[in-house]
Amino acid sequence: MSSPRQPNPTEPMQRISIIAATAILILALLFTSYGFFERKAILKYGRDAAAQIAERTALTGAAAFDAAQQLLAAMNLLVNPPVRGTTADPELVDLALRRLKSQTPHILDLAIISATGKATVWTGSGAPPSIIDRDYYSYHANNLNSTLFIGKPLLSRVKPERRFIAISKALRDEQGNLTQVLCIIMDVSLLRDYLGQRFAIPGSTQLLLDDKGEIYTRTPDFEQYVGKTILHPEQLETLSTTTPTAGFYVESALDKKERIVEFQKLTGYPLIAVGTISVKHLLAGWTQRLQVVILLWGVLSLCIILVARRALAISRKQIQQANTDGLTGIHNRRSIMRCASDMESSQQDTGLLALLMIDIDNFKRINDRFGHPTGDTVICAVAEMLRNSIRSTDIVGRYGGEEFLVLMPDISREGAQIVAEKLRLSVAAELLDPIPITISIGVAMMNRIDQSLEQTLARADSALYQAKADGRNCIRHADDSTSPTNDEQSTRTT
C-alpha cells in the first residue's frame, strides 16, 4: 500500500533551483569554452611564432655559412690560381689571408693545412698549434669523398677563453687524393651576434645545433648552454630534405621549462635551427584573464544564487498563500481538493480512503447573535481542534464557509467512524464559548462504484445533510441507513 502523496508545493521552487543551477552551469560552460578556445588559439600562435623563429634562424645561419663558403672559395683561388702554369706564392697567400682575416672581425684564424696535417699557412701569431687530431682535418683525411665540414664548438688552444667553429673544405687531386684542407676558424660568438634577435614573446629562445643535438649557439644564455646536448633524437630523426620541419611540446632539458619547440633543417648544411617559446610566458596573459573570468563567474553565480533565493522565498510565500486558508491556516478548498485527487490516485486499488465532510451546527445563529468576528473565531477554533485531533497522515481543509473536509487514507470504515466520533465529542466537550459548539459529520468511503472523486464527495455531502436532518451533532455514513446511536440522541442539539 503506497502512502498518500501530499501536494508538492516545492515544484515551482525546484524549477527555480534547476533554472539557477542551469544558468550557473551554462556560464561555467561558456567561460570554460572561452578559456579552452583562447588557450588553443594562443598555443597555435605560439607554435607559429616558434616556427618563425626557427625559420629566421635557419635563414640567418645558412647565410652565415654561405658567407663562409664564399671565403673558402676565395682561399681556393689563392691556393690554386686560375691562370694555367702559375703556382701560388706562399708569402702572397699568407698576406692575402691576413688581409681577409683583418676585414672579417669574427674570424679568429684562417689556415691552409697540408695532406699530412701540418698548417702550411696560418694567420695566427707564433708557431701554429698541432691540428692533426682536430676533426676539421681528420674528417677529410679519413673520408675520401669529403667536401665541406662544419665542426662542433671547440675551445681554442691559442685563445682558451674563446670557442670556435671550424669550417673546412678538402682540396683533392685528379685521383681524389687529399692535397690540402682550407680552414676557417670562426668565433662562435659570431653566431650569437649574427643570429641574435629581439623576441616578441618573453621566454623565447633560438638555437643552432647539429643532427646529434649538440648546441652550436643559443640566444639568450649563450655561454651557459653552448656545447651542451639536448636529447630529442626521435624528433631530430624525422627531419629530412622532404620533411625539413618538426614541432612538439616538451619540458626543456636545459632550463626545465615546458616549451613549444620547432625544428627546421638548414638547407645545404648538416645543422638544425630551433625556435622555442616558454608555455608559461606565452600563457601568462591568458592565465591572468582566466583568473578574472573565474572571479567573474563566481560573482555572477553568487548573484544568480541570491536572486534564486529571493525568488524561492517569494515562490514559497505565494505557494503558501495559494494553498492556505487565510482565516484558519489550514488547507483551502483548492488545496484540499488537489490533495483528495492525489490520494484518490494512490488509494484507488485498495479503496481505503475515507472522506469526512464536517459542518458547524447552527453557525448562522452564531453570526447573527454574536457577529461575524465571533463567527470567525469559532471557525478558527474548530479548525484548530480538527487539525490537532486527526492522525499525522490525515489532511484537513476548509471546504467553504463553516464546512471542513478531512481526508483519511489507509483506514477502514470502522476506523473512520471512530475518528469521526472522536472529533465530534472533542468539539462538543471543549468549545463552549460563546455558546456550546457542535459539529455534524458525513462519512464516505471511496469505492469502485464511484467513477470520480466528485461522486465520493457527493456521497459524503449527502451523509452530512442526513446528519443535519437527523438533528445535528451526529455522524452519518454514506452507506449506513441505521438510526442514530443512543449517545447521539442524548447529545443532539436542536
Side-chain angles (χ1 to χ4, degrees), residues 29 57 65 76 176 188 239-240 249 267-268 290 304 312 359 382 427 491:
L29 180 62
T57 303
F65 292 116
N76 188 19
V188 173
L239 297 174
S240 64
Y249 296 88
T267 304
L290 182 64
I304 291 172
L312 286 171
D359 184 79
V382 172
V427 170
T491 57

Side-chain angles (χ1 to χ4, degrees), residues 164-225:
F164 71 89
I165 292 176
I167 305 172
S168 61
K169 180 178 181 180
L171 299 181
R172 300 181 183 276
D173 60 19
E174 294 180 356
Q175 287 74 38
N177 297 317
L178 181 65
T179 59
Q180 289 176 315
V181 175
L182 308 178
C183 184
I184 299 173
I185 306 299
M186 181 188 296
D187 192 340
V188 173
S189 62
L190 164 69
L191 294 176
R192 175 192 63 194
D193 300 335
Y194 205 39
L195 297 178
Q197 57 179 285
R198 299 181 67 181
F199 303 115
I201 302 174
S204 302
T205 66
Q206 62 177 164
L207 300 91
L208 197 62
L209 45 90
D210 64 15
D211 55 5
K212 303 300 182 183
E214 184 168 339
I215 299 173
Y216 281 40
T217 184
R218 183 185 191 267
T219 305
D221 303 323
F222 168 81
E223 296 294 343
Q224 183 178 353
Y225 296 113

Side-chain angles (χ1 to χ4, degrees), residues 47-48 61 79 180 195 245 260 295 299 393 417 450 484:
R47 291 202 63 170
D48 292 342
V79 174
Q180 289 176 315
L195 297 178
T245 62
I260 298 173
L295 178 61
V299 171
T393 55
Q417 190 76 20
D450 295 336

